[in-house]
Amino acid sequence: MGRVSFSRLFPPSTGHEASASTPQSQFHVDLWCYFTVQNWILDFGRPIVMIILPLEWFPLNKPSAGDYFHMAYNVITPFLLLKLMERSTTTLPRSAVYLSIITFVMGASIHLVGDSINHRLILSGYQNHLSVRENPIIKDLKPASLIDSFELLYYYDEHLGHCMWYIPFFLIIFLYFTGCFTQAKEEKVPRSGWLLLGPSAIYYWYLVTEGQIFVLYVFTFFAMAATVMRQKRMGYVLDSNGRFLLYNFIITLGLVVVWVIYLWNDNVLRKKYPGIIYVPEPWSYYTLHIKGS
């Protein structure tokens, strides 16, 4: 089937260094704006819309407005990722691109089903800051085997769905980042990029905390930092798009650290999120400290 000329990732041993000297494309203000707007509306905004709109408009046994937002996200985001790869200066085999996008859509679709049911449970009194078996509306179910079914749903939603969703997403972002280097004059992030940086980083904070993907996020960030240092030793610098992504990750990491420090002594959330890595979910904070107040 040949190769897709999204640009030049995984080139021959000397191809990347030679191609990096070619002029880089302009700052992708249109794509970064599309990403930011649709992320805020279709991902961050979907549970909020579902809670705000009257329940009688979307009965509990029918898809909610948030579900339709999620469906749109599952279509638009893969399209934007493909457009981003088309503007890269590296080459990626077509099969690798397709496999990543297909896995992303599968994971996001699994999450759509699990998240839809989970948010309906919240409207019925489910408390995100408690485990499945500790929730009052779950632990008294008869027969008790029904609880196992809800735990299976939670596994598909919060574990399998998130892995299949976020791993290919960050893989594509990283692969694009590896092509954001040039030997030309150092490029600065334009004013439009600085305006998008705040909203974009806040969304990624939500993605990391609510998606419980801190390890994946940090691993990607370290891989990006290592790539920058390696390319710098070879005489290459980041272009404006690469800088926008790197600044995004740095600010997001700072926001996550502030979030963890703020909730460090919360005993209830500590019980929900045991272990070395403690990063509470915003929706668990919502059901614990806001919904009931």
Side-chain angles (χ1 to χ4, degrees):
M1 295 178 63
R3 299 170 76 90
V4 170
S5 182
F6 294 110
S7 57
R8 297 184 291 275
L9 189 64
F10 305 140
S13 58
T14 60
H16 183 82
E17 289 77 7
S19 64
S21 61
T22 58
Q24 302 290 303
S25 58
Q26 297 284 327
F27 182 72
H28 307 322
V29 62
D30 55 341
L31 277 181
W32 299 128
C33 184
Y34 294 151
F35 269 114
T36 303
V37 171
Q38 72 99 28
N39 285 337
W40 269 83
I41 296 177
L42 300 181
D43 192 13
F44 181 75
R46 57 185 168 80
I48 299 175
V49 168
M50 192 201 71
I51 291 176
I52 292 178
L53 292 181
L55 185 61
E56 55 269 18
W57 290 7
F58 302 94
L60 294 180
N61 62 342
K62 302 292 182 181
S64 70
D67 295 338
Y68 293 114
F69 277 34
H70 205 323
M71 294 176 195
Y73 174 91
N74 291 4
V75 174
I76 295 174
T77 303
F79 175 76
L80 292 178
L81 289 173
L82 285 171
K83 298 302 291 184
L84 185 66
M85 292 307 299
E86 287 178 0
R87 298 191 188 183
S88 176
T89 60
T90 54
T91 299
L92 187 64
R94 179 179 298 181
S95 57
V97 175
Y98 286 174
L99 182 60
S100 296
I101 295 297
I102 290 170
T103 306
F104 172 90
V105 174
M106 288 180 62
S109 299
I110 290 173
H111 182 265
L112 164 61
V113 177
D115 210 46
S116 176
I117 297 175
N118 182 59
H119 283 296
R120 276 159 180 69
L121 290 175
I122 292 177
L123 293 176
S124 301
Y126 187 87
Q127 301 176 49
N128 267 347
H129 59 278
L130 299 176
S131 67
V132 174
R133 290 187 177 273
E134 292 176 335
N135 261 270
I137 70 170
I138 299 294
K139 64 181 181 181
D140 295 329
L141 287 175
K142 301 297 180 183
S145 59
L146 285 175
I147 301 179
D148 295 331
S149 298
F150 277 99
E151 286 189 325
L152 177 62
L153 175 67
Y154 182 85
Y155 170 78
Y156 272 104
D157 178 16
E158 297 295 326
H159 296 285
L160 182 62
H162 281 190
C163 288
M164 295 179 66
W165 179 0
Y166 295 126
I167 290 177
F169 176 81
F170 280 100
L171 176 61
I172 291 177
I173 292 296
F174 173 71
L175 293 180
Y176 169 80
F177 180 81
T178 61
C180 295
F181 291 89
T182 177
Q183 281 186 318
K185 182 180 179 181
E186 184 174 314
E187 297 182 20
K188 296 181 179 180
V189 178
R191 181 177 301 178
S192 57
W194 289 109
L195 292 176
L196 289 172
L197 196 56
S200 180
I202 292 174
Y203 167 75
Y204 277 102
W205 160 82
Y206 171 77
L207 193 71
V208 172
T209 54
E210 187 63 30
Q212 292 293 282
I213 55 170
F214 181 75
V215 173
L216 173 62
Y217 171 81
V218 170
F219 179 81
T220 306
F221 175 67
F222 285 163
M224 292 169 65
T227 303
V228 171
M229 290 186 289
R230 176 179 178 273
Q231 293 293 342
K232 186 175 182 180
R233 288 197 300 267
M234 300 171 64
Y236 301 102
V237 294
L238 276 173
D239 64 13
S240 56
N241 294 290
R243 288 181 180 276
F244 177 78
L245 279 175
L246 185 62
Y247 296 162
N248 243 310
F249 272 65
I250 293 174
I251 295 174
T252 299
L253 183 60
L255 292 175
V256 172
V257 170
V258 171
W259 174 253
V260 171
I261 293 175
Y262 174 66
L263 298 174
W264 188 258
N265 295 319
D266 194 308
N267 294 327
V268 176
L269 293 179
R270 275 283 184 179
K271 185 177 179 181
K272 173 70 181 294
Y273 305 98
I276 300 177
I277 300 177
Y278 169 69
V279 182
E281 298 173 76
W283 278 103
S284 293
Y285 177 84
Y286 168 79
T287 60
L288 175 62
H289 295 292
I290 299 178
K291 186 174 182 291
S293 60

